[in-house]
């Protein structure tokens, strides 16, 4: 069995984990800004700024997929982290909604290129028969990164840090991550003797295609749209819901929200190895967990959320099971749909997920204002149920042996 390039994969893992210094900062700022009357306009505009950021993030992923295949994923990955760091430093200096939104647009647009760039690099250096497992392991980078960043920012807030301190910490984290990853990828650049390189046809794109690749791509796009809407909604609003509905302190609510990506790690780790076992596991790792996630969210809506422990447990369980289909939809499945253009398809499918996450900002905030936590969890339960339905469509159009058929090892 071909050895995996450990240094390259480790560098990508660390780098994408650091990207969450930019992704998780708004979840920290949402409850924090309520304590500063001078920042009230920014707090009121935060949901719409979050939606705008996710919108440009989605287009950044599509563009990133195209650039990764033309320019190479390694340089694009490091550049995305550096420019996101610049955006965080700039956001420290502004307090008005318009200026903060401009900084957010810049940071999210460039950061959107990071995941397609990562996928392109992985597909050039990973054997096809181990791709799902490797992508599942790398999915831990954003799950663990999300948890680690929230824990760091919670400590910053607990020690009296305000808006500027939170954003400054994030900016430094992104810069350090870009520097470390840049050095590691430089020393781990592919050797000339490798059958594929950072610009050529990818190892992972050599899978057979016995199903309907175009229908498969549309099914994955719709499924990832729904799954990302649920995940980003839980990620963004859990601290706020714990504070407003359960009366938890701000720093404890932020720290408790770190449990969500940690439980998601479990689901992602289970999904990867099962996906490499064969196509017969497709429904097991997509439809079944999406349905379970819908049930968990419906139970939260029905039972009430005044007890913080119950809310945290329910959201954590939903996050764990929903991570299984999302890990595959936003990672290995787009890379294995057809014969070429893996990074481009990954950018399209993952970009669609970010478009779904746009609804996690302003639209979901309006649902909260109108119907409270009950409306929030009910809406997310229906969206998770739609994701389960799309998973059935993906299974039906995948064909025998595609994209999860057992491959020669």
């Amino acid at each position: 069995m071909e050895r995996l390039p450990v240094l390259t994969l480790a560098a990508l893992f660390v780098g994408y984990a650091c990207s969450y210094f930019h992704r998780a900062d708004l979840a920290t700022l949402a409850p924090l800004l309520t304590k500063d009357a001078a920042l009230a306009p920014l707090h009121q505009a935060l949901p719409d700024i979050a939606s705008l950021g996710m919108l440009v993030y989605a287009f950044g992923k599509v563009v990133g997929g195209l650039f990764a295949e033309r320019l190479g994923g390694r340089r694009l990955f490091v550049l995305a982290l550096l420019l996101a760091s610049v955006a965080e430093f700039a956001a420290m200096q502004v307090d008005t909604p318009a200026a903060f939104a401009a900084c957010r647009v810049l940071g999210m647009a460039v950061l959107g290129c990071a995941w397609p760039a990562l996928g392109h690099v992985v597909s050039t250096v990973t054997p096809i028969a181990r791709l799902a497992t490797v992508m599942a392991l790398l999915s831990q980078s954003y799950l663990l990164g999300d948890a680690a960043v929230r824990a760091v920012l919670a400590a910053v807030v607990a020690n009296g840090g305000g808006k500027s301190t939170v954003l400054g910490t994030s900016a430094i984290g992104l810069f350090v991550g870009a520097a470390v990853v840049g050095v590691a990828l430089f020393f781990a650049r592919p050797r000339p003797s490798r059958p594929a390189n950072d610009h050529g046809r990818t190892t992972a794109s050599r899978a057979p295609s016995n199903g309907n690749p175009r229908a498969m791509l549309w099914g994955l796009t719709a499924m990832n749209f729904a799954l990302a809407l649920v995940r980003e909604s839980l990620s963004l609003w859990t601290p706020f819901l714990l504070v407003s509905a359960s009366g938890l302190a701000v720093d404890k609510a932020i720290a408790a929200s770190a449990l969500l990506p940690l439980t998601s790690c479990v689901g992602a780790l289970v999904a990867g190895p099962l996906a490499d076992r064969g196509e017969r596991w497709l429904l097991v790792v997509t439809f079944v967990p999406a349905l379970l996630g819908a049930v968990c969210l419906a139970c939260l809506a029905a039972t009430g959320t005044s007890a913080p422990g119950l809310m945290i447990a329910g959201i954590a369980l939903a996050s764990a099971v929903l991570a299984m289909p999302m890990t595959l939809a936003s990672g290995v499945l787009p890379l294995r749909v057809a014969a070429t253009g893996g990074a481009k398809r990954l950018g399209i499918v993952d970009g669609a997920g970010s478009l779904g996450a746009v609804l996690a900002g302003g639209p979901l905030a309006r649902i909260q204002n109108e119907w409270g936590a009950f409306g929030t969890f009910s809406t997310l339960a229906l969206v998770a149920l739609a994701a389960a339905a799309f998973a059935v469509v993906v299974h039906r159009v995948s064909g025998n042996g595609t994209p999860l058929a057992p491959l020669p090892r």
Side-chain angles (χ1 to χ4, degrees):
M1 182 180 295
E2 185 177 346
R3 294 179 60 185
L4 295 176
V6 176
L7 182 57
T8 297
L9 298 179
L12 295 173
F13 189 102
V14 171
Y16 207 75
C18 289
S19 74
Y20 268 74
F21 275 108
H22 191 67
R23 290 292 311 279
D25 58 352
L26 289 193
T28 302
L29 293 176
L32 184 63
L33 295 180
T34 60
K35 295 188 173 184
D36 192 339
L39 296 176
L42 179 57
H43 177 260
Q44 293 174 357
L46 208 60
D48 293 322
I49 292 174
S51 292
L52 178 61
M54 292 308 300
L55 180 63
V56 298
Y57 186 63
F59 288 108
K61 287 186 175 182
V62 176
V63 173
L66 297 173
F67 281 168
E69 293 186 349
R70 287 165 173 76
L71 305 177
R74 296 165 185 264
R75 286 175 292 182
L76 183 62
F77 186 79
V78 176
L79 183 62
L81 294 180
L82 283 175
L83 292 180
S85 175
V86 171
E88 289 284 75
F89 277 122
M92 289 176 58
Q93 315 301 321
V94 299
D95 292 330
T96 62
F100 188 87
C103 296
R104 190 70 181 177
V105 166
L106 170 63
M108 293 295 281
V110 296
L111 200 62
C113 299
W115 185 251
L118 178 149
H120 182 67
V121 175
V122 172
S123 64
T124 64
V125 298
T126 304
I128 182 66
R130 303 176 70 182
L131 181 62
T133 300
V134 170
M135 288 299 289
L137 289 172
L138 285 173
S139 294
Q140 306 303 300
S141 64
Y142 64 78
L143 297 171
L144 291 174
D146 193 2
V149 166
R150 287 171 187 263
V152 170
L153 296 183
V156 170
V157 173
N159 288 325
K163 165 183 169 288
S164 296
T165 309
V166 167
L167 294 175
T169 302
S170 297
I172 294 172
L174 284 162
F175 182 82
V176 172
V180 171
V181 173
V183 172
L185 289 181
F186 175 79
F187 286 105
R189 60 189 184 277
R191 299 175 181 176
S193 60
R194 289 193 63 86
N197 57 58
D198 201 25
H199 299 275
R201 180 183 294 271
T202 64
T203 302
S205 64
R206 296 172 184 168
S209 179
N210 301 327
N212 187 333
R214 179 169 295 183
M216 181 85 172
L217 182 62
W218 282 112
L220 287 172
T221 299
M223 183 171 70
N224 205 41
F225 180 95
L227 290 169
L229 196 165
V230 177
R231 179 183 182 275
E232 291 298 331
S233 296
L234 295 178
S235 175
L236 179 61
W237 295 111
T238 292
F240 178 80
L241 288 172
L242 286 171
V243 171
S244 62
S246 302
L248 213 58
V250 172
D251 60 322
K252 292 183 179 179
I254 297 171
S257 69
L259 182 63
L260 276 61
L262 288 176
T263 56
S264 297
C265 289
V266 178
L269 284 175
V270 170
L274 287 179
D276 276 335
R277 292 177 64 87
E279 190 269 344
R280 64 186 180 278
W281 290 94
L282 183 56
L283 280 181
V284 175
V285 292
T286 55
F287 168 75
V288 173
L291 183 61
L292 289 176
V295 171
C296 289
L297 293 168
C299 289
L300 280 174
T303 58
T305 55
S306 58
L310 177 62
M311 182 189 293
I312 293 171
I315 295 176
L317 181 58
S319 298
V321 294
L322 291 173
M324 296 179 68
M326 188 169 181
T327 296
L328 301 179
S330 62
V332 64
L333 294 182
L335 293 173
R336 293 180 63 172
V337 169
T340 58
K344 180 169 64 176
R345 291 193 311 273
L346 180 60
I348 292 172
V349 174
D350 207 35
S354 297
L355 284 176
V358 171
L359 302 180
L364 201 68
R366 291 171 176 82
I367 292 175
Q368 287 184 43
N369 292 336
E370 188 69 24
W371 293 291
F374 170 80
T376 299
F377 289 122
S378 297
T379 300
L380 296 181
L382 291 174
V383 175
L385 189 62
F390 290 128
V392 175
V393 174
V394 170
H395 176 72
R396 293 290 299 272
V397 302
S398 64
N400 295 326
T402 305
L404 297 176
L407 295 161
R409 294 182 180 273

